[in-house]
Amino acid sequence: MKSIIKYVLPVLTGLFFMLAACEKEDIPYYSDVERINFDYTSMGLSKDTVNIAYGFVTDQYTNIDLELLLTGYAKDYDRVIGLTITSEDGAVAGTNYEIADNVIMPKGEVSISVPLKVLRSEDLMTTGAKSFLVKLVDSDDLVAGLRTTLFVTVSDDIPDKWIGDEGWFMNPISQYFGECSKTKYLFVYEQLGVWDFSSWSYWGMMGDAAKFTPAKRILKEKLAEYEAENGPLVDPKEGRVTFPD
């Protein structure tokens, strides 16, 4: 019995002091002003940019769920979220996009999904691409946080430049797919179902070889199948479509 007590007593003593320390320790809590941010991760974005190219599809609109996340606590009353949309090239509400007039964080919630409808307006074909900036701003109830912007570009044509690697310092899209042309871009989209490759990256800084390398292999195989049946795939401006070895 004495030997059991010899080993159990130190354990019980240690537990006692641990519990005493826990009782005295202050529990940290958020005390700063409550801030509202875009939750890019929940939106599947690696940066604050969305490109919509209707030249690839027949859709007349695209729904973007703006995921907003509060740094702070839920309240027992609704709170107004400050949000503005501005454009330097003529995008206007009702023609190029639709969104609710008032954005509210409901009582008891710390996150909200706000639908933004991006429209395929008739003027895209005549005036070219439109862009607009969605920005969270201070309201009487909540302060804008650190992730407060979403830049949306919409066009009704197939781009002749790859979309998504503008800020990468290594492994650009052209390293895997070669130089872009409209015919090649359409072929890539038809095979992969992707036109915005911004999420195919490491932290938005360099191309993810684990995604691009197998994609290039698929594209080369599909192009070989196409050429076996139809002959070379040729872009009217850039010539024959090929992919790097």
Side-chain angles (χ1 to χ4, degrees):
M1 178 66 69
K2 290 182 179 180
S3 62
I4 295 177
I5 294 175
K6 177 181 178 181
Y7 290 105
V8 171
L9 184 59
V11 175
L12 293 176
T13 303
L15 289 174
F16 172 78
F17 284 112
M18 288 178 61
L19 291 172
C22 290
E23 290 179 358
K24 294 179 181 179
E25 183 180 355
D26 292 332
I27 299 175
Y29 62 93
Y30 184 78
S31 59
D32 195 3
V33 294
E34 296 185 306
R35 302 178 184 274
I36 192 71
N37 293 277
F38 282 114
D39 187 351
Y40 299 134
T41 301
S42 295
M43 296 174 65
L45 301 176
S46 60
K47 58 181 179 178
D48 64 342
T49 303
V50 174
N51 293 287
I52 299 173
Y54 283 119
F56 294 108
V57 298
T58 59
D59 301 343
Q60 295 304 304
Y61 64 89
T62 298
N63 285 321
I64 299 175
D65 290 328
L66 305 179
E67 303 294 344
L68 308 183
L69 181 64
L70 179 69
T71 303
Y73 299 99
K75 302 294 187 183
D76 61 356
Y77 53 87
D78 293 346
R79 286 174 285 181
V80 174
I81 296 174
L83 186 147
T84 63
I85 298 182
T86 57
S87 173
E88 296 184 357
D89 54 21
V92 296
T95 299
N96 303 108
Y97 61 86
E98 294 177 356
I99 193 171
D101 292 332
N102 297 304
V103 180
I104 302 295
M105 178 66 71
K107 63 180 181 179
E109 301 292 340
V110 294
S111 63
I112 184 176
S113 180
V114 180
L116 170 67
K117 180 181 285 188
V118 182
L119 305 174
R120 185 177 195 166
S121 58
E122 295 181 358
D123 64 339
L124 289 176
M125 288 297 294
T126 56
T127 63
K130 298 289 186 182
S131 60
F132 54 90
L133 177 67
V134 185
K135 185 174 179 62
L136 296 172
V137 296
D138 295 350
S139 71
D140 291 339
D141 298 321
L142 296 170
V143 175
L146 298 176
R147 300 175 300 280
T148 60
T149 57
L150 185 70
F151 189 75
V152 181
T153 299
V154 54
S155 66
D156 201 2
D157 195 7
I158 297 172
D160 57 6
K161 300 293 183 183
W162 301 118
I163 292 175
D165 64 353
E166 294 83 0
W168 299 358
F169 69 92
M170 285 181 63
N171 301 354
I173 299 172
S174 59
Q175 177 176 316
Y176 301 95
F177 297 167
E179 295 303 315
C180 185
S181 70
K182 292 186 177 184
T183 302
K184 180 187 282 191
Y185 216 144
L186 181 59
F187 181 82
V188 168
Y189 174 72
E190 289 172 343
Q191 306 306 320
L192 304 180
V194 178
W195 71 72
D196 183 352
F197 292 93
S198 56
S199 63
W200 287 32
S201 69
Y202 291 113
W203 310 290
M205 295 187 294
M206 57 187 295
D208 184 353
K211 294 181 178 179
F212 278 106
T213 300
K216 182 178 73 170
R217 184 180 66 250
I218 291 171
L219 292 171
K220 290 176 70 69
E221 292 173 354
K222 293 297 183 180
L223 181 60
E225 294 175 5
Y226 175 91
E227 291 185 337
E229 295 183 7
N230 305 282
L233 179 61
V234 179
D235 181 82
K237 183 177 179 181
E238 301 297 335
R240 183 175 181 176
V241 172
T242 61
F243 294 96
D245 293 330

